[in-house]
């Protein structure tokens, strides 16, 4: 197979041919059709968590695929099943991660799931079957963007009807948080970003108010909308320490600050912690705390009932061979919703 491999931090991915090893216990071979690009991959390329001891390695954690072969012990899927690939652990076996070989014999590392490659050997607990009638192009969103956003609202923030919610960063996950907040009747729902095209899209997903922090002061605008006490729930998606501190300061004394974005290693926040001894909460989210085996079927029911639509989340598509351009466009904020890589553009 052909894969886009990270050989060096802060460098473009390189296309290489990799040999597929034989399947081991709990492993599943899939053929990728579409993959999303998440901020997590931008962070991996930039080394935000520190030195990367697994280079060279594969990337990508949300995708759609069709099962080609199953290893011993696998019961969750069968050959020809359509599946979502996700980084959160679901039901099933957690296998040994595969190691691929380049033509010169050098090894390329991979985790339990990767999606920046034509095929992938993934762990049984990193895939969830979906109906064959479901659109494979939007299915990758169920691997991270939608499930994480909904999990943040349901599991991390426990948003109640009528609570105020501010979402800082209106990318793929941010839009899902806004959409989920709208479904549980939060009010107001405030989208904050530096790009006007992202804020316009946020309105379509349920944002009742928007703040362009390039030209507006976040503190001033939040106080205009909810008063001096702050919002009930403030979700921070950027991982920038100054914005994390702002989010915390603008959260009410009984509210919750939910951190989805991850700061670069060594970048620390400074907060006034006394309110945490009473009712204020600051919490880091780990993928919204979802179990894909439970949450993906629930979201599929919403889609089937037409209470949730995924097509408007996909705002840009790139062929796989343009992955570096796609990554750069996401990094520069040129795209608004989720970017999808197409391995076979003729298959939807």
């Amino acid at each position: 197979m052909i894969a886009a491999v990270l050989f060096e931090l802060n460098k473009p991915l390189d296309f290489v041919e990799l040999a597929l090893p034989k399947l081991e216990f709990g492993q599943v071979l899939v053929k990728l059709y579409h993959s999303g690009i998440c901020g997590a991959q931008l962070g991996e390329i930039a080394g935000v968590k520190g030195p990367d001891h697994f280079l060279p390695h594969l990337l990508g954690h949300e995708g759609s695929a069709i099962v080609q072969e199953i290893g011993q012990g696998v019961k969750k899927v069968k050959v020809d099943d359509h599946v979502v690939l996700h980084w959160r652990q679901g039901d099933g076996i957690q296998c040994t991660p595969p190691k691929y070989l380049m033509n010169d014999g050098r090894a390329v590392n991979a985790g339990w799931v990767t999606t920046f490659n034509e095929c992938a050997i993934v762990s049984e607990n990193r895939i969830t079957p979906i109906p064959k009638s479901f659109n494979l192009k939007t299915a990758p969103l169920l691997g991270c963007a939608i499930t994480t956003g909904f999990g943040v609202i349901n599991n991390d923030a426990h948003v109640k009807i009528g609570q105020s919610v501010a979402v800082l960063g209106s990318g793929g996950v941010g839009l899902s948080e806004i959409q989920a907040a709208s479904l549980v009747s939060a009010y107001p729902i405030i989208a904050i970003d530096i790009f006007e095209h992202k804020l316009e899209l946020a309105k379509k997903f349920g944002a009742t108010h928007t703040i362009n922090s390039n030209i507006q002061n976040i503190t001033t605008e939040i106080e205009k909308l909810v008063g001096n006490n702050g919002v009930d729930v403030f979700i921070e998606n950027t991982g920038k320490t100054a914005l994390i501190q702002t989010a915390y300061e603008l959260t009410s004394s009984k509210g919750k600050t939910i951190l989805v974005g991850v700061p670069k290693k060594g970048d620390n926040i400074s907060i006034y912690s006394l309110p945490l001894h009473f009712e204020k909460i600051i919490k880091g989210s780990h993928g919204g705390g979802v179990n894909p085996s439970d949450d993906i079927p629930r979201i599929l029911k919403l889609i089937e009932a037409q209470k949730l639509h995924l097509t408007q989340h996909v705002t840009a598509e790139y062929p796989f061979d343009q992955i570096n351009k796609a990554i750069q466009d996401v990094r520069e904020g040129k795209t608004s919703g989720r970017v999808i890589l197409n391995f076979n553009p003729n298959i939807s």
Side-chain angles (χ1 to χ4, degrees), residues 4-14 16 18 40-60 98-100 102 105-111 116:
V5 179
L6 179 67
F7 282 88
E8 188 177 349
L9 295 181
N10 295 299
K11 297 290 184 181
L13 306 182
D14 291 325
V16 297
L18 299 177
Q41 283 88 62
L42 273 61
E44 285 183 87
I45 294 169
V48 297
K49 295 181 181 179
D52 191 330
H53 302 292
F54 296 97
L55 295 173
H57 65 76
L58 299 179
L59 296 168
K99 282 197 175 181
Y100 303 95
M102 292 185 279
R106 286 184 296 163
V108 173
N109 294 306
F116 290 0

Side-chain angles (χ1 to χ4, degrees), residues 166-178 190-195 198-199 202 211 213 218 234-240 243 247 260-261 336:
V167 177
L168 210 166
S170 298
V173 172
L175 291 175
S176 299
E177 294 159 353
I178 289 165
I190 307 162
I192 307 166
D193 208 287
I194 61 174
F195 297 104
K198 292 189 176 185
L199 294 173
I211 299 172
S213 56
I218 297 175
F234 207 125
I235 303 168
E236 208 295 316
N237 294 308
T238 72
K240 296 180 179 179
L243 295 177
V260 180
S336 47

Side-chain angles (χ1 to χ4, degrees), residues 282-297:
I282 185 168
K283 178 180 180 180
S285 176
H286 190 248
V290 303
N291 179 340
S293 299
D294 295 331
D295 292 308
I296 289 177

Side-chain angles (χ1 to χ4, degrees), residues 72-217:
Q72 186 179 3
V74 173
K75 299 179 180 178
K76 189 175 180 180
V77 295
K78 61 184 183 300
V79 173
D80 291 331
D81 276 357
H82 290 203
V83 294
V84 172
L85 279 64
H86 42 77
W87 68 275
R88 286 283 299 178
Q89 183 175 331
D91 297 343
I93 300 165
Q94 177 148 304
C95 67
T96 301
K99 282 197 175 181
Y100 303 95
L101 295 179
M102 292 185 279
N103 291 333
D104 60 7
R106 286 184 296 163
V108 173
N109 294 306
W112 292 289
V113 61
T114 61
T115 63
F116 290 0
N117 27 265
E118 293 177 325
C119 297
I121 293 175
V122 297
S123 183
E124 183 188 23
N125 64 359
R126 262 39 178 219
I127 56 175
T128 296
I130 58 174
K132 289 187 177 180
S133 59
F134 195 82
N135 189 339
L136 284 174
K137 190 170 289 184
T138 56
L141 301 172
L142 300 174
C144 177
I146 297 295
T147 45
T148 297
F150 278 50
V152 167
I153 295 297
N154 289 324
N155 303 328
D156 294 327
H158 301 287
V159 176
K160 292 180 169 54
I161 293 171
Q163 284 191 316
S164 55
V165 175
V167 177
L168 210 166
S170 298
V173 172
L175 291 175
S176 299
E177 294 159 353
I178 289 165
Q179 192 170 34
S182 178
L183 284 171
V184 299
S185 299
Y187 187 85
I189 302 170
I190 307 162
I192 307 166
D193 208 287
I194 61 174
F195 297 104
E196 197 61 39
H197 62 275
K198 292 189 176 185
L199 294 173
E200 287 301 313
L201 187 59
K203 293 176 185 177
K204 297 180 181 179
F205 285 90
T208 60
H209 300 80
T210 61
I211 299 172
N212 186 327
S213 56
N214 254 350
I215 57 177
Q216 296 172 289
N217 181 276

